Amino acid sequence: MANLFGGSSRCCILVFFASMIATISAFSPPSSFSISSISTRTQQFQLSAVPSPERMFDYNKKPPTFNKQTSLWEPSPETEDSPYGPWGSFLRGGPSPFLVRVLQPSEYELAVFKYMAQTSCSRAEAQGNMDAFFNNAADWAYQKSEEARGRPKVDYTQLKLKDAILVVTWAVFVTPFLGRCAYLIAATDAGWAITVDDIFNF
């Protein structure tokens, strides 16, 4: 295999950077995303599209309410249970909403309840929108502004097979490959001169 690539490390370096760019493009997390900022972002979360986003599906149950004493959004007695867990968020929106649900689940719930209250939608629809929001807030807001102008609505409740396969592929194959490259560059004598054989020689 080394002969196939001429024994040159430049190929590995190009593959490494191309994979990094592709990883960022695949998941497209917001540039300002950090776990420490989740609480602030959730508290300041506003439905910025004008007019405010409208629900996609009919929903007649009582929405969550805002508790002025605790300053928290709370589910109503009619609010249904979560339709899917953190892995469902991972398959729909990638690593960002997954990390939010795992590391700060209460903040994720508050965002879901607030969206339900402001749009009178179901919990499934709210979770799908919040997964999209935490994955890429700018794209989500742009989509909502386009919907307000009459463009077709996006059903964020759907688990799209193509997106799920993409997420799993990157998580199982590409991310470990990038981690292996980073380890070899940082922790071995080869440095940036690593070869294909180095990468696959465990």
Side-chain angles (χ1 to χ4, degrees):
M1 184 176 292
N3 293 333
L4 177 63
F5 289 93
S8 174
S9 64
R10 286 179 293 181
C11 177
C12 294
I13 296 174
L14 291 174
V15 171
F16 175 73
F17 280 113
S19 299
M20 288 184 64
I21 295 172
T23 300
I24 296 172
S25 300
F27 293 121
S28 298
S31 58
S32 60
F33 175 81
S34 66
I35 297 302
S36 62
S37 67
I38 293 173
S39 179
T40 301
R41 289 177 59 192
T42 302
Q43 292 174 5
Q44 296 178 346
F45 168 67
Q46 299 291 335
L47 303 180
S48 56
V50 180
S52 296
E54 298 179 356
R55 67 187 182 195
M56 188 169 188
F57 304 104
D58 290 336
Y59 183 74
N60 299 319
K61 296 182 179 180
K62 184 179 179 181
T65 56
F66 183 73
N67 189 324
K68 295 182 179 180
Q69 294 182 342
T70 62
S71 297
L72 297 175
W73 291 93
E74 299 177 349
S76 73
E78 300 179 9
T79 300
E80 60 271 29
D81 294 333
S82 176
Y84 55 84
W87 286 109
S89 295
F90 177 78
L91 294 175
R92 288 170 173 81
S96 295
F98 173 80
L99 290 175
V100 174
R101 295 195 68 175
V102 170
L103 299 180
Q104 293 199 8
S106 60
E107 300 298 336
Y108 179 87
E109 291 291 284
L110 288 176
V112 169
F113 293 150
K114 183 172 184 178
Y115 190 87
M116 291 180 66
Q118 294 186 340
T119 62
S120 299
C121 72
S122 67
R123 185 162 184 166
E125 186 173 344
Q127 281 196 195
N129 275 272
M130 290 301 94
D131 289 340
F133 170 78
F134 283 119
N135 178 49
N136 192 317
D139 281 357
W140 178 85
Y142 175 78
Q143 173 59 34
K144 292 302 175 181
S145 66
E146 290 298 294
E147 292 177 4
R149 296 185 178 94
R151 296 292 179 86
K153 295 182 179 180
V154 173
D155 183 4
Y156 290 111
T157 65
Q158 287 187 346
L159 175 56
K160 300 178 181 178
L161 180 60
K162 182 181 70 173
D163 294 342
I165 292 175
L166 177 64
V167 169
V168 172
T169 299
W170 283 92
V172 175
F173 297 105
V174 178
T175 301
F177 173 79
L178 295 178
R180 174 69 174 168
C181 291
Y183 168 77
L184 292 173
I185 293 171
T188 66
D189 295 334
W192 288 100
I194 60 173
T195 65
V196 175
D197 284 342
D198 292 332
I199 296 173
F200 294 101
N201 183 23
F202 293 96

